[in-house]
């Protein structure tokens, strides 16, 4: 009888796991699942280890090139670009192709020749572009990353971490053009008679909620993969390094994340009363957008809001007068800027506001 009860209990646990109880089992040596808007890490497995990353390097190459502008400009393929080993879009020496076309070839077909051509065009040289890559990594806070090339072929000092690559992807996916390129299933360049099909099978075949990403592989590094997905208003980023079963890893990560977490509004936009830090009075302030955060069901009621220092001095009506900080388990998780006006003013309205302020006609103090 005892054996039967124990067996039934185990079966019930398997069939109806509690939220957040069982983390996904992934084949990857390193993995992370991040919610895109907040940057909250929902799952991680050795996510901060420095590892070779192969062609997911090209996410950095792509976003730097996109931000450089002039995507319609023609780029001439050099001998060095054409003879770069590995995956290719088969550029010919002297061939001209727009920067935008090269970006699609870079992201969809993982063209190493495209990567070098882009780097020489944007950076003045491959070395110049690598400098830009490392400067961008520093600026983004990618503390466990260092780049030695624009394509991801194995090099001793070329590495990143699952967390850093998620951070980079979070930044890149805020760019409309990057989202369009990363999420394209096919693309036809004017310089080709055939379309390029995206190598990201999670996007093209396996997972309907996938919105983009980048594949990678070298024999030494193994399979690397970055993908993004969106469902019910929540956007997730998954990164796996050295993952023999990466497609299934990412599906499991996404399904686990969408099941266990929901985007919750922890503070609605609008007028609120805030306590001044130094004089203990109340004043009105505005949060201009709903404050949202990914939470499990049992976390929703544990959010604590603290209103912090509303500064007296304001250079502009568009500058925040303070902030509201939100805590979970006594740890700060996010903050919202507080303004003295519900909407951003234009320049003339801002000037009028400042004149009235100086003349004492418009004061909340």
């Amino acid at each position: 009888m005892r054996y039967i009860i124990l067996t039934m209990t185990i079966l019930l646990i398997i069939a109806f796991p509690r939220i957040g109880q069982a983390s996904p089992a992934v084949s990857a040596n390193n993995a992370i699942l991040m919610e895109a808007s907040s940057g909250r890490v929902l799952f991680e497995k050795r996510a901060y280890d420095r590892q070779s990353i192969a062609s997911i390097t090209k996410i950095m190459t792509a976003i730097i090139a996109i931000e450089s502008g002039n995507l319609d400009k023609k780029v001439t393929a050099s001998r060095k670009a054409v003879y770069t080993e590995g995956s290719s879009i088969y550029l010919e020496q002297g061939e001209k192709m727009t920067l935008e076309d090269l970006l699609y070839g870079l992201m969809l077909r993982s063209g190493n020749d495209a990567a070098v051509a882009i780097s020489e065009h944007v950076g003045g040289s491959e070395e110049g572009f690598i400098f830009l890559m490392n400067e961008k990594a520093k600026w983004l806070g990618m503390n466990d990353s260092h780049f030695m090339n624009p394509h991801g072929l194995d090099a001793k000092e070329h590495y990143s971490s699952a967390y850093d690559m998620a951070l980079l992807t979070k930044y890149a996916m805020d760019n409309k053009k990057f989202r369009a390129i990363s999420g394209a299933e096919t693309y036809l360049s004017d310089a080709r008679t055939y379309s390029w099909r995206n190598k990201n099978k999670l996007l093209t075949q396996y997972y309907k909620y996938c919105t983009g990403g980048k594949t990678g592989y070298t024999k030494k590094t193994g399979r690397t993969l970055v993908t993004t997905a969106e469902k019910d208003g929540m956007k997730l980023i998954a990164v796996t390094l050295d993952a023999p079963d990466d497609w299934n890893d990412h599906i499991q990560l996404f399904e686990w994340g969408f099941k266990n977490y929901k985007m919750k509004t922890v503070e609605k936009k609008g007028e609120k009363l805030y306590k001044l830090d130094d004089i203990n009075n109340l004043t009105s302030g505005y949060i201009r957008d709903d404050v949202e955060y990914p939470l499990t069901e049992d976390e929703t009621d544990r959010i604590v809001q603290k209103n912090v220092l509303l500064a007296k001095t304001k250079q502009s009506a568009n500058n925040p007068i303070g902030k509201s900080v939100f805590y979970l388990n006594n740890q700060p998780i996010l903050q919202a800027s507080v303004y003295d006006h519900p909407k951003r003013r234009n320049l003339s309205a801002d000037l009028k506001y400042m004149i009235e302020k100086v003349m004492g006609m418009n004061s909340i103090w």
Side-chain angles (χ1 to χ4, degrees):
M1 185 67 179
R2 226 181 251 177
Y3 174 80
I4 293 172
I5 294 172
L6 179 61
T7 303
M8 289 180 66
T9 302
I10 293 171
L11 288 173
L12 284 170
I13 290 172
I14 294 171
F16 303 102
R18 288 182 297 165
I19 286 179
Q21 181 186 21
S23 295
V26 295
S27 71
N29 185 63
N30 312 85
I32 196 167
L33 181 68
M34 177 184 286
E35 193 279 314
S37 64
S38 65
R40 183 180 187 183
V41 175
L42 309 183
F43 169 86
E44 66 100 358
K45 176 183 178 183
R46 293 191 285 273
Y48 302 91
D49 293 354
R50 295 179 175 183
Q51 301 288 346
S52 298
I53 56 172
S55 282
I56 60 174
T57 295
K58 290 169 180 142
I59 295 172
M60 177 65 88
T61 303
I63 191 60
I64 291 175
I66 290 168
E67 290 178 342
S68 75
N70 299 317
L71 301 190
D72 292 332
K73 191 165 184 179
K74 293 278 188 177
V75 178
T76 303
S78 68
R79 176 180 175 82
K80 182 179 182 180
V82 169
Y83 285 95
T84 305
E85 64 178 288
S87 54
S88 176
I89 60 170
Y90 305 105
L91 291 171
E92 296 182 0
Q93 187 173 345
E95 180 181 359
K96 296 182 183 296
M97 186 177 286
T98 66
L99 180 55
E100 182 169 11
D101 284 356
L102 287 172
L103 283 164
Y104 276 97
L106 176 85
M107 292 296 290
L108 272 63
R109 298 309 300 167
S110 204
N112 292 343
D113 50 354
V116 174
I118 289 168
S119 70
E120 291 176 333
H121 172 75
V122 175
S125 66
E126 188 174 358
E127 293 72 23
F129 190 82
I130 293 165
F131 174 81
L132 296 178
M133 296 174 78
N134 286 308
E135 287 300 300
K136 191 73 168 182
K138 291 176 187 176
W139 184 77
L140 288 171
M142 297 172 66
N143 298 323
D144 293 302
S145 299
H146 187 262
F147 297 95
M148 291 292 290
N149 59 62
H151 38 64
L153 289 175
D154 294 324
K156 186 176 180 180
E157 292 301 315
H158 189 95
Y159 56 80
S160 188
S161 67
Y163 174 79
D164 279 5
M165 291 307 299
L167 201 64
L168 171 62
T169 304
K170 177 182 185 298
Y171 172 80
M173 287 296 285
D174 279 338
N175 184 287
K176 183 178 179 180
K177 176 57 72 172
F178 181 89
R179 290 197 305 273
I181 295 172
S182 175
E185 293 192 15
T186 61
Y187 181 78
L188 177 61
S189 166
D190 289 339
R192 293 289 182 270
T193 58
Y194 53 89
S195 296
W196 291 321
R197 185 167 177 79
N198 202 321
K199 289 185 176 183
N200 179 6
K201 292 183 180 180
L202 213 70
L203 175 72
T204 61
Q205 298 180 45
Y206 298 149
Y207 195 62
K208 66 180 180 180
Y209 301 112
C210 184
T211 57
K214 182 70 191 75
T215 60
Y217 172 79
T218 69
K219 188 174 181 179
K220 178 182 177 182
T221 298
R223 296 175 64 88
T224 63
L225 182 63
V226 175
T227 59
T228 57
E230 182 175 1
K231 181 182 178 183
D232 298 332
M234 185 161 69
K235 299 176 182 179
L236 300 180
I237 300 165
V239 181
T240 52
L241 307 179
D242 190 12
D245 194 18
D246 52 7
W247 303 126
N248 283 324
D249 283 354
H250 282 235
I251 292 170
Q252 282 191 65
L253 287 167
F254 287 138
E255 287 296 288
W256 179 85
F258 288 132
K259 179 181 179 181
N260 289 292
Y261 292 85
K262 303 295 180 187
M263 295 303 295
K264 302 287 186 179
T265 301
V266 297
E267 179 70 288
K268 287 188 174 294
K269 66 180 179 181
E271 185 177 14
K272 312 290 177 184
L273 285 175
Y274 295 94
K275 182 182 288 187
L276 290 174
D277 186 67
D278 53 351
I279 59 176
N280 213 34
N281 288 336
L282 292 176
T283 186
S284 63
Y286 295 85
I287 291 179
R288 291 179 176 173
D289 298 291
D290 289 346
V291 182
E292 296 186 325
Y293 198 73
L295 297 166
T296 63
E297 280 300 325
D298 64 334
E299 289 176 334
T300 304
D301 297 327
R302 302 209 305 268
I303 297 292
V304 175
Q305 180 180 2
K306 297 181 181 179
N307 303 319
V308 179
L309 181 61
L310 292 172
K312 286 187 177 181
T313 56
K314 301 182 292 297
Q315 299 299 317
S316 162
N318 292 323
N319 288 340
I321 59 173
K323 60 185 178 181
S324 193
V325 183
F326 300 86
Y327 292 78
L328 177 63
N329 301 328
N330 296 318
Q331 297 295 320
I333 55 171
L334 75 163
Q335 67 181 40
S337 294
V338 179
Y339 300 85
D340 68 349
H341 192 274
K343 293 182 180 179
R344 181 176 177 85
R345 294 179 170 87
N346 59 34
L347 183 61
S348 60
D350 191 47
L351 181 60
K352 179 176 180 288
Y353 171 87
M354 293 303 294
I355 292 171
E356 290 176 347
K357 180 94 173 138
V358 170
M359 296 176 66
M361 299 166 59
N362 182 15
S363 177
I364 63 171
W365 309 108

